[in-house]
Amino acid sequence: MTEEVLLFEVAGAVARLTLNRPKAMNAMNMALVAELDRRLAQIAVDDAIRVLVVAGTGPAFCAGADLKEVLASQKAEPREADFLDRADATLACLRNFPKPVIAALNGVTMAGGLEMAMCADIVIAAESAVIGDAHANFGVYPGAGGAAVLPRIIPQNVAMYLLLTGKTLSAAEMKAYGFVSEVHPDGELADAAMKLAGQIAAKSPIVLRRMREVARTSADKSRDDALLHEQVMLRRHLRSFDLQEGLLAFAEKRAPQFQGR
C-alpha cells in the first residue's frame, strides 16, 4: 500500500494538512505538490472550514524541495511545467489563501520549507525546531520568497545572515526576531496549533478576510494609501451581517453567531 504523502483531517472548522514524507524530511516532490494543490483547492471552497493548519511528521516540518526533483526538472521540455514551476505555483496559492493559515513547525525547517512557513499568517514552533534558508549550502537559488520576502518579515541583517551562511536558528531565536509567534514543548505543538486555530475560527470569517487583505498589502503602500485602503474596506464592512451580529451580541451579552457575510 502506498503511503500518503499528505495527511488531511478536519476538526470542527479547522483543517490540518500534514506533510508525510518523514524519511525524506518532508521534502517537496511532485507527488506532494500535487496533493497540496488538490487539498488547498478543496479547502478554499469549503465554507465549513475557516482556518488551515499546515504541519509535518517526523523530524522535520519541511527541508525544502527534493533535490532529485529539481535535477529532473532541468531536463523538462521548454513548454512543460517543471517541478520548480509547480512548487512555486503551490506556494503562491498558499500565500494568497483566502482563509487564515497557521504553520506549525515541528522540526527542521529549511529552504523551501522556510518559504512555505513564510506563506502562513501565523507561525508557531516546537522548542526543538531549527529554522534557516540553506539554499546557499547547495548552490541553489531561492524562488518562493527566501531572498525577496524574508527581509520584510525579520530584520534585514538577520535575513542576510540566514541567506549567506546557510545556518539555522532556534525557534526561540526566531521568536525574538518576530518570525515565530509561539514556542511550545515538542509534545504540545499539535494541540497548541489546533487550539489557536479554533480560537481564530470562532471569529467572523469576513472580518478576518478583510483584515488580512489590508494587512498583507500594506507593506507595498505608503502609510496614507494603506490607511485609505483600510477606510474603503471599513465602508464595505459596515454593510455586513457579521458586524451587525457582533454589535447585537455585545449588547445582549451573548456569544456572536457569525456567518461570514
Side-chain angles (χ1 to χ4, degrees):
M1 182 176 177
T2 303
E3 187 175 52
E4 294 180 88
V5 296
L6 183 69
L7 305 180
F8 171 62
E9 59 184 308
V10 177
V14 178
R16 177 158 55 191
L17 294 178
T18 305
L19 312 184
N20 191 39
R21 300 187 68 220
K23 294 180 181 179
M25 303 290 278
N26 293 326
M28 289 182 284
N29 63 1
M30 278 290 200
L32 179 54
V33 167
E35 276 299 289
L36 279 168
D37 283 342
R38 185 172 74 88
R39 289 301 188 183
L40 289 175
Q42 175 185 348
I43 295 167
V45 298
D46 188 340
D47 290 339
I49 297 175
R50 295 188 174 184
V51 180
L52 170 63
V53 173
V54 182
T57 56
F61 169 71
C62 177
D66 188 321
L67 295 184
K68 294 178 182 178
E69 298 274 358
V70 175
L71 283 171
S73 73
Q74 303 306 300
K75 301 175 183 178
E77 295 296 326
R79 295 183 181 179
E80 181 182 348
D82 64 15
F83 169 72
L84 294 176
D85 291 332
R86 290 286 303 278
D88 180 57
T90 299
L91 292 188
C93 178
L94 186 61
R95 188 181 304 115
N96 299 311
F97 204 63
K99 302 175 183 183
V101 178
I102 298 171
L105 313 185
N106 57 295
V108 174
T109 303
M110 293 183 179
L114 172 60
E115 291 173 322
M116 182 182 294
M118 287 162 50
C119 295
D121 298 298
I122 298 173
V123 177
I124 67 174
E127 289 177 338
S128 66
V130 292
I131 303 163
D133 181 73
H135 281 100
N137 295 340
F138 304 97
V140 178
Y141 188 81
V149 179
L150 186 61
R152 299 185 180 202
I153 300 175
I154 61 176
Q156 186 171 19
N157 63 320
V158 180
M160 294 302 292
Y161 176 82
L162 293 175
L163 289 167
L164 301 183
T165 67
K167 293 183 178 181
T168 59
L169 294 174
S170 69
E173 288 171 313
M174 289 298 272
K175 183 176 186 294
Y177 292 129
F179 184 77
V180 172
S181 295
E182 298 178 3
V183 177
H184 296 277
D186 290 15
E188 299 176 14
L189 179 67
D191 288 342
M194 295 303 286
K195 180 180 178 181
L196 178 61
Q199 292 169 345
I200 295 172
K203 314 299 183 188
S204 162
I206 192 170
V207 78
L208 294 181
R209 183 172 70 249
R210 286 171 168 169
M211 286 194 299
R212 290 172 70 242
E213 179 182 335
V214 172
R216 279 182 167 265
T217 59
S218 64
D220 297 322
K221 297 181 172 71
S222 69
R223 181 191 62 185
D224 288 347
D225 284 345
L227 285 167
L228 178 60
H229 189 186
E230 185 176 67
Q231 284 294 315
V232 169
M233 196 65 78
L234 170 62
R235 301 304 170 193
R236 294 180 188 171
H237 192 68
L238 289 175
R239 298 189 293 271
S240 71
F241 169 88
D242 280 6
L243 173 63
Q244 302 305 317
E245 166 62 10
L247 294 176
L248 186 60
F250 175 79
E252 296 176 351
K253 298 182 179 180
R254 61 173 175 80
Q257 301 297 313
F258 296 123
Q259 296 183 12
R261 61 183 178 86

